[in-house]
């Protein structure tokens, strides 16, 4: 009876991943390597680079450990955290399905949607409402969030849909479309690849979605450490500097 009372009085706690990481000397990060410019893997060298890679490399450095990137897919991203294949993931959008199975860090970036236009049209399109005209042709990929945004926000524009995003880029490059709607993350890659294109300087982005790291659910010690680290790096301007390096458009949320 005394032993049972002691067990109830002093419950045992499972060791945190934070202790495991420090003992191991390695931070294991699950990353897909296929989301430019967030995480990109060179198949010839197996070398990773990108926004996520800079962030998690910095976290490992501040922990005093090395970082190991564990290949994963979007389909298995959550399962890898749950089954201890890695200690955390790189950037993942917040959604309730993932939150039922894994924990999330605090948000440090937002995915949202912006118009991409020919650079010589920058002075002509300064507001979202400038695109809501029968003289404007907006191309989007069939069945995507982008197509829904166009239908909802720009009903007066001539709406043109295609099956492939690459076709949409080509229509814009060939001046067959006025604009395409895409995420601020994908936009960074597009304007780097095609210097004649630019993000329209409109009044804000649309459909903001928080970006955070997936962590083991219930491991509050590890989650707290990562969140304190994120807050410290945020006030130091670290995330802004990394976003600027990779050409990412930062979304201000008021």
């Amino acid at each position: 009876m005394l032993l049972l009372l002691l067990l109830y009085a002093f419950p045992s706690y499972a060791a945190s991943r934070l202790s495991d990481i420090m003992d191991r000397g390695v931070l294991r990060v699950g990353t897909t390597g296929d989301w430019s410019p967030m995480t990109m893997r060179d198949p010839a060298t197996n070398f990773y680079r990108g926004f996520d890679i800079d962030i998690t490399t910095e976290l490992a450095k501040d922990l005093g450990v090395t970082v190991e990137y564990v290949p994963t897919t979007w389909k298995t991203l959550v399962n890898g955290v749950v089954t201890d294949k890695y200690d955390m993931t790189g950037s993942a959008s917040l959604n309730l399905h993932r939150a039922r199975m894994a924990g999330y860090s605090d948000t440090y970036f937002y995915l949202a949607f912006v118009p991409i236009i020919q650079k010589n049209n920058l002075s002509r399109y300064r507001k979202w409402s400038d695109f809501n005209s029968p003289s404007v042709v907006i191309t989007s990929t069939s069945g995507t969030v982008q197509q829904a945004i166009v239908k909802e926000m720009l009903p007066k524009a001539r709406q043109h849909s295609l099956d492939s995003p690459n076709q949409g880029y080509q229509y814009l490059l060939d001046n067959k479309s006025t604009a395409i709607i895409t995420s601020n993350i994908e936009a960074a890659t597009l304007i780097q690849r095609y210097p004649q294109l630019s993000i329209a300087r409109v009044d804000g982005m649309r459909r903001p979605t928080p970006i955070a790291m997936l962590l083991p659910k219930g491991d509050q010690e590890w989650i707290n450490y990562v969140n304190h680290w994120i807050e410290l790096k945020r006030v130091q301007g670290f995330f802004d500097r990394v976003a600027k390096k990779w050409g990412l458009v930062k979304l201000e949320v008021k």
Side-chain angles (χ1 to χ4, degrees):
M1 178 64 74
L2 179 58
L3 178 59
L4 288 174
L5 288 173
L6 288 172
L7 287 173
Y8 280 114
F10 301 102
S12 62
Y13 296 96
S16 169
R17 291 279 180 96
L18 180 57
S19 300
D20 293 342
I21 293 163
M22 301 307 294
D23 292 342
R24 190 191 312 129
V26 177
L27 171 65
R28 302 169 303 166
V29 179
T31 190
T32 62
D34 63 355
W35 189 18
S36 177
M38 306 299 277
T39 170
M40 299 168 282
R41 185 180 74 89
D42 182 343
T45 62
N46 205 35
F47 180 76
Y48 289 87
R49 63 188 183 91
F51 177 86
D52 281 358
I53 308 307
D54 286 354
I55 288 173
T56 48
T57 297
E58 182 79 0
L59 174 57
K61 185 182 78 173
D62 289 342
L63 278 164
V65 300
T66 59
V67 61
E68 174 190 343
Y69 292 105
V70 181
T72 188
T73 66
W74 293 107
K75 186 177 180 180
T76 60
L77 191 68
V78 174
N79 187 62
V81 173
V82 174
T83 59
D84 196 23
K85 289 183 178 177
Y86 33 83
D87 307 303
M88 65 190 309
T89 70
S91 297
S93 58
L94 268 65
N95 69 55
L96 296 179
H97 177 72
R98 287 173 175 167
R100 288 201 300 267
M101 297 179 285
Y104 272 112
S105 73
D106 287 343
T107 295
Y108 48 85
F109 197 75
Y110 285 81
L111 179 154
F113 293 93
V114 295
I116 302 292
I117 59 175
Q118 290 277 357
K119 192 174 286 185
N120 56 16
N121 283 328
L122 278 172
S123 61
R124 185 174 177 184
Y125 300 100
R126 293 183 174 274
K127 303 187 295 293
W128 278 96
S129 58
D130 291 339
F131 293 100
N132 194 26
S133 166
S135 64
V136 171
V137 179
I138 307 287
T139 297
S140 59
T141 306
S142 300
T144 61
V145 174
Q146 294 94 312
Q147 185 181 41
I149 290 173
V150 172
K151 289 181 178 180
E152 177 187 329
M153 291 185 51
L154 309 170
K156 294 180 182 179
R158 285 184 286 160
Q159 299 173 24
H160 178 245
S161 62
L162 294 165
D163 292 332
S164 166
N166 292 332
Q167 290 177 301
Y169 311 152
Q170 195 57 52
Y171 264 66
L172 181 56
L173 290 166
D174 293 342
N175 282 314
K176 294 178 181 178
S177 296
T178 310
I180 58 174
I181 307 299
T182 189
S183 74
N184 53 333
I185 291 173
E186 187 177 30
T189 301
L190 280 177
I191 62 176
Q192 184 177 26
R193 187 185 308 163
Y194 305 113
Q196 64 269 49
L197 302 183
S198 181
I199 299 168
R201 295 166 186 161
V202 292
D203 47 336
M205 294 181 253
R206 295 296 183 266
R207 298 281 175 88
T209 302
I211 296 292
M213 302 164 184
L214 285 164
L215 300 161
K217 189 175 185 179
D219 190 344
Q220 203 58 52
E221 183 179 341
W222 178 219
I223 292 172
N224 286 346
Y225 180 91
V226 174
N227 286 343
H228 292 328
W229 180 85
I230 287 172
E231 181 58 24
L232 180 63
K233 292 297 181 179
R234 191 202 317 278
V235 299
Q236 292 175 349
F238 170 71
F239 294 106
D240 291 344
R241 291 193 298 273
V242 177
K244 184 177 181 180
K245 171 185 173 180
W246 292 102
L248 293 169
V249 182
K250 186 172 180 289
L251 174 64
E252 296 292 344
V253 177
K254 300 180 179 179

